[in-house]
Amino acid sequence: MKTLKTQVAIIGAGPSGLLLGQLLHNAGIQTLMLERQSADYVQGRIRAGVLEQGMVDLLREAGVSQRMDAEGLVHDGFELALNGRLTHIDLKELTGGQSVMVYGQTEVTRDLMAARAAVGATTLYEAREVQLHDLKTDQPWLTFEHQGEVFRLECDYIAGCDGFHGVARQSIPAESLQVFERVYPFGWLGMLCDTPPVHPELVYARHPRGFALCSMRSATRSRYYLQVPADEPVSDWSDERFWAELKKRLPAELAETLVTGPSLEKSVAPLRSFVVEPMQYGRLFLLGDAAHIVPPTGAKGLNLAASDVSTLYRILLKVYGEGRVDLLEQYSAICLRRVWKAERFSWWMTSMMHQFPEADSFTQRIAESELDYFIHSRAGRQTIAENYVGLPYEAIE
Ligand code: APR
Ligand code: PHB
């Protein structure tokens, strides 16, 4: 068995792992990254698209913002549709000048992969059978297989950035973890298409036939979503059926101007709320989807990954730079305070915007009335706006 050494071992080369790796590398802290899939597979995944200011700032700090700053779309607001009418949520005005950046996770990943390759930091793609050992000691280690060889990787700390189905969280004894979960009885059918977006801003629509979202990747590429039953086969949805259903759920003024075209990709994603506490076990830290999932209605999944990265990065800077090992124990509590607020917002937006198949007529009217109240009250719009642009990151002191 060959032995390798690094300071921080990172499991998973999604946005969490790649961003953490880049920040640590720039700070002179060595990392080695293990990814189960191939680079092409990681690069090909189509996921979220809205970046909070905090994540934009972190990407700039990591030195990987050049393309985002050139091609990303700054959005100062978005629209909520109820009963066929649009209400503008003016993020900038309601939050004292904040906005979001529309830039696909696929592009963020591509930029981070290129930056990591450019600095020559190691990522072992198609690393199999990753296993974690001695997490409660000060010399944790991993074993894995790569290109037919078995390796031992010794390190100071392990960052579990391996997503919801990863090995990191599963390596923590069940009795040391508390799981909080809600599974929703529906999913989102997403479609990517090279057509101009139907509206210059994102449109989230509540409709008796189910929720719909109009998003985008650029001035010529749109991303649309429809609420569908959780177990819906994608094969039931021809492009024609998708467009027809989307038109039914949008206000008439938008449905009339919607430009349709052939889909580039279609997929169904289940909706789930999930948090594990604590987000650390000995020298293993969980980040991003490995520790929590939010339903996509608040556009928070990727952004929560970024705030976990920021927290661990700033702690490790002080650990390596100033010997502040006392901070390590605070990682989980600091992350969870922000995670739970985003969980609440994501759950709340999901509850207000969707049709719940089991809901009685009273519950449906309450959800509709709640949305109606919030969008027609300045205080209501303000609470939506301040959560949407992202709550502040906690300082690490
Ligand atoms: N060993 C090595 N790598 C693994 C393993 C394993 N056992 N299990 C999973 N991985 C890899 C996956 O192949 C994936 O590339 O870990 C990576 C995790 O990446 P993501 O799932 O993208 O999670 P994260 O980086 O936390 O990003 C969170 O991505 O999933 C979206 O909605 C989510 O936008 C949010 C963001
Ligand atoms: C997306 O563009 O994929 C997207 C945008 C906003 C959301 C969810 C997904 O809330």
Side-chain angles (χ1 to χ4, degrees), residues 86-241:
L86 295 176
T87 299
H88 188 229
I89 305 296
D90 189 336
L91 294 173
K92 201 166 188 176
E93 190 266 330
L94 290 163
T95 63
Q98 296 190 67
S99 53
V100 293
M101 175 82 84
V102 173
Y103 189 65
Q105 181 172 323
T106 310
E107 308 310 316
V108 173
T109 305
R110 195 204 299 180
D111 297 345
L112 284 164
M113 284 171 76
R116 188 162 176 88
V119 297
T122 310
T123 308
L124 299 180
Y125 286 97
E126 298 180 62
R128 312 283 170 178
E129 307 296 329
V130 173
Q131 287 179 20
L132 296 74
H133 311 274
D134 290 342
L135 299 173
K136 284 280 196 181
T137 73
D138 56 8
Q139 288 174 312
W141 52 288
L142 300 111
T143 48
F144 63 94
E145 283 177 35
H146 186 246
Q147 296 180 343
E149 272 191 89
V150 179
F151 290 86
R152 173 188 169 104
L153 172 59
E154 297 176 354
C155 57
D156 301 333
Y157 302 102
I158 301 175
C161 302
D162 51 351
F164 185 62
H165 301 287
V167 65
R169 190 182 68 248
Q170 289 167 27
S171 305
I172 303 175
E175 62 272 17
S176 300
L177 289 182
Q178 201 177 354
V179 171
F180 302 83
E181 187 167 29
R182 175 155 305 183
V183 177
Y184 301 86
F186 42 75
W188 279 16
L189 169 64
M191 186 216 246
L192 190 69
C193 189
D194 272 335
T195 52
V198 68
H199 190 78
E201 295 183 335
L202 271 64
V203 181
Y204 293 79
R206 180 184 163 96
H207 190 276
R209 296 182 65 88
F211 169 80
L213 168 61
C214 307
S215 182
M216 66 191 73
R217 292 291 175 271
S218 71
T220 54
R221 180 167 286 190
S222 301
R223 179 77 168 156
Y224 296 108
Y225 294 96
L226 293 175
Q227 174 186 351
V228 294
D231 52 0
E232 189 84 337
V234 184
S235 53
D236 282 6
W237 288 83
S238 64
D239 291 357
E240 292 67 32
R241 183 177 174 206

Side-chain angles (χ1 to χ4, degrees), residues 12 14-16 35-37 45 47 105 161-163 166 288-289 302:
S16 303
E35 166 59 50
R36 183 171 52 185
Q37 305 288 354
R45 290 188 294 221
R47 295 248 180 94
Q105 181 172 323
C161 302
D162 51 351
D289 279 17
L302 178 59

